[in-house]
Amino acid sequence: GGESGGGGGSGGGETGAAGGGEGKRRREAWRRLCAVSLLRLGDLARYRAVSEGGRDAAQRKRALCAAAASYGGAQQLEPGLGHCYHQQAVLAREEGVTLDALFGYLRALLAPEPFAPTAQNNLDRLCAELARGPPPAPPPPLASREAADWFEAAVCRLVASACLGDGAASAEDLAGSRSLLLQLSGWLRVSVARASAPSPKRVGVALLVCIAALHLAPPPGGGGGGGDCGRDGEDSSCGEGGGGSENDGEGVGESEGSTASSRPSEARAAALLKCLFCAVAPAVQQASQDVADAGRDRRLAQLLGAVTPLALWASQHANRRLWALAEADRSDFAAALARVGNSLPAVARSAAAPPMSAALERLTGFAPLAPALAAAERAARRRGAARRVVDDSDATGLVAALGGSAFAALRHLATSSASGGGTAADFVGRDRFPLHWHPSTAAFATVPELHPAAACAPATRQAAF
């Protein structure tokens, strides 16, 4: 009686708080129910497309579009639900877009609510098929129709090799992967410089696939796979439709014969990421110059759409995830980041709280980018700025939004890698990435800025010893 009658005012406040919490839980339950319903509708549309086969191409295309719209709606409602990305991957396999299928399976595993083990089984099976298949033909001419297809086939082959791990590769496979990586590096550098195939959007997807593969790999120093996504090996898919072939199209029923997943190769995933980014960085610099000379910002907006997610990721993970690269390759990677950062236009460098782009908003729920996106939101709130979302069709706004996000991310990486002075040799270590910010010139560089006082520091230390 004393407890119930003594605190009327506080009890009313607690009742209001409880009521608000109950309302929030109901809204979340309704949102989850709507997302799962959209997944079911997408499955029905996809089954209809499969049943059509080759009988009615128009009807099949409409069914596939309806499935894509349903899966996309579910993703918008529940971006942290790995089931959404798994179904998009299944749909991509149905449409023959293997790069999107790889990305979907990887996103399903790296979501806050991963769709495991189904996505892992299907990823292993897809990678095994890619590894067993014939290697891609020699690179086609840049202007040919086969150029974009060859790029995606080469990337998929290399990602599959990295995901299967070193234990599943023979010496011949490793040699073939190294040769293909060299071919891809030279071909892509020339292709992007000439604004030929592949499109910047597809290069961006390839970069995200490499990032995801890095996060499935065991982190440096040991540990199991998937350390950054919180997986524990259990089936942690959503309660509604957590498994079974009727929910996922390529579900547990079809994957029971899969072997245990291999440990992905962090070194090969990092090498492919470095190859792709170093090929694109010079094109970003050229596109920035074109904006300054002629005001053509569409190309720069497209390229920034590809590289800004990588800059955001690097600001949080480069020190840890790129240690698998050799020292020279880390320096090349840092030089490419510096090249991009130094070429950004003034509108990107001056944005205190850059607006969000629709492209980055669609990456909500992608665990490797979650810390960087959350940090950007916190920075915007500290400045009291409501972050507007820039549509994909607004090229000028995208340059400011994506470029501002990339510049802020690179500044964060450079300042976190810096340590007050000394020689370049002082900055070689497992805990630092060789990207630095020089306040005197307002530029990025791969070596620290030496101040007059710091120049004599090595001699002072030697005398002390």
Side-chain angles (χ1 to χ4, degrees):
E3 287 183 346
S4 61
S10 62
E14 291 173 3
T15 303
E22 180 65 25
K24 181 180 179 181
R25 285 192 294 271
R26 286 184 178 182
R27 287 192 297 272
E28 291 174 350
W30 277 109
R31 187 166 60 246
R32 173 60 62 93
L33 179 60
C34 290
V36 173
S37 299
L38 284 171
L39 289 175
R40 299 294 181 270
L41 290 173
D43 289 341
L44 290 173
R46 182 167 52 82
Y47 298 154
R48 188 164 62 249
V50 172
S51 66
E52 287 294 336
R55 292 176 297 179
D56 190 340
Q59 184 68 22
R60 182 177 184 275
K61 184 177 180 180
R62 283 193 293 270
L64 290 174
C65 289
S70 296
Y71 293 151
Q75 176 191 342
Q76 287 182 336
L77 288 172
E78 289 283 354
L81 190 60
H83 196 177
C84 304
Y85 308 109
H86 180 270
Q87 299 310 97
Q88 290 174 334
V90 174
L91 184 64
R93 288 210 71 183
E94 182 67 32
E95 296 177 318
V97 189
T98 308
L99 185 62
D100 287 349
L102 281 172
F103 188 41
Y105 290 141
L106 288 164
R107 282 200 75 173
L109 291 169
L110 293 170
E113 296 182 63
F115 195 69
T118 306
Q120 183 68 65
N121 290 338
N122 288 328
L123 174 65
D124 291 344
R125 186 169 60 178
L126 175 58
C127 290
E129 291 176 4
L130 291 169
R132 286 196 304 264
L142 295 178
S144 66
R145 293 182 179 180
E146 296 80 15
D149 293 338
W150 182 86
F151 166 76
E152 297 202 9
V155 170
C156 289
R157 176 83 174 207
L158 292 168
V159 170
S161 175
C163 286
L164 289 175
D166 294 330
S170 64
E172 184 179 356
D173 293 335
L174 293 174
S177 295
R178 285 192 291 269
S179 175
L180 181 58
L181 185 63
L182 290 174
Q183 284 183 330
L184 177 63
S185 178
W187 180 89
L188 183 61
R189 191 180 296 271
V190 177
S191 177
V192 174
R194 296 183 181 179
S196 183
S199 68
K201 183 176 181 180
R202 301 308 292 169
V203 175
V205 174
L207 289 170
L208 289 170
V209 168
C210 294
I211 289 172
L214 270 172
H215 280 254
L216 281 186
D228 287 338
C229 60
R231 292 189 291 119
D232 56 6
E234 299 291 335
D235 185 352
S236 52
S237 54
C238 63
E240 304 88 343
S245 58
E246 67 176 4
N247 296 324
D248 51 49
E250 290 183 296
V252 177
E254 296 182 29
S255 303
E256 288 176 350
S258 300
T259 59
S261 60
S262 303
R263 293 166 67 87
S265 169
E266 187 180 30
R268 278 190 271 168
L272 178 56
L273 181 66
K274 178 253 177 185
C275 158
L276 296 175
F277 180 65
C278 289
V280 175
V284 176
Q285 184 179 30
Q286 181 59 51
S288 297
Q289 187 61 45
D290 291 343
V291 170
D293 293 342
R296 297 192 297 267
D297 49 14
R298 171 61 58 185
R299 175 70 174 170
L300 179 58
Q302 292 172 342
L303 289 167
L304 288 176
V307 302
T308 297
L310 182 139
L312 290 169
W313 171 82
S315 70
Q316 303 291 328
H317 298 287
N319 286 332
R320 181 167 179 244
R321 286 288 169 183
L322 292 180
W323 191 253
L325 291 173
E327 183 179 337
D329 289 335
R330 287 199 309 278
S331 296
D332 290 344
F333 201 108
L337 287 171
R339 190 171 192 171
V340 168
N342 292 333
S343 65
L344 291 172
V347 66
R349 290 169 164 253
S350 61
M356 175 67 75
S357 69
L360 288 180
E361 193 175 51
R362 287 192 291 270
L363 292 174
T364 302
F366 184 44
L369 290 186
L373 294 176
E377 288 292 342
R378 289 193 299 271
R381 284 198 299 269
R382 282 197 300 269
R383 295 183 176 93
R387 299 194 81 190
R388 65 185 181 89
V389 178
V390 179
D391 187 74
D392 292 340
S393 60
D394 182 5
T396 303
L398 283 175
V399 170
L402 293 169
S405 297
F407 185 75
L410 294 178
R411 281 290 304 271
H412 175 80
L413 174 59
T415 53
S416 65
S417 297
S419 81
T423 64
D426 296 327
F427 291 83
V428 178
R430 287 185 66 90
D431 58 342
R432 298 193 186 101
F433 186 73
L435 180 70
H436 304 275
W437 173 252
H438 292 190
S440 61
T441 57
F444 296 99
T446 56
V447 294
E449 187 174 31
L450 297 182
H451 300 287
C456 62
T460 303
R461 287 197 298 269
Q462 187 175 4
F465 281 112

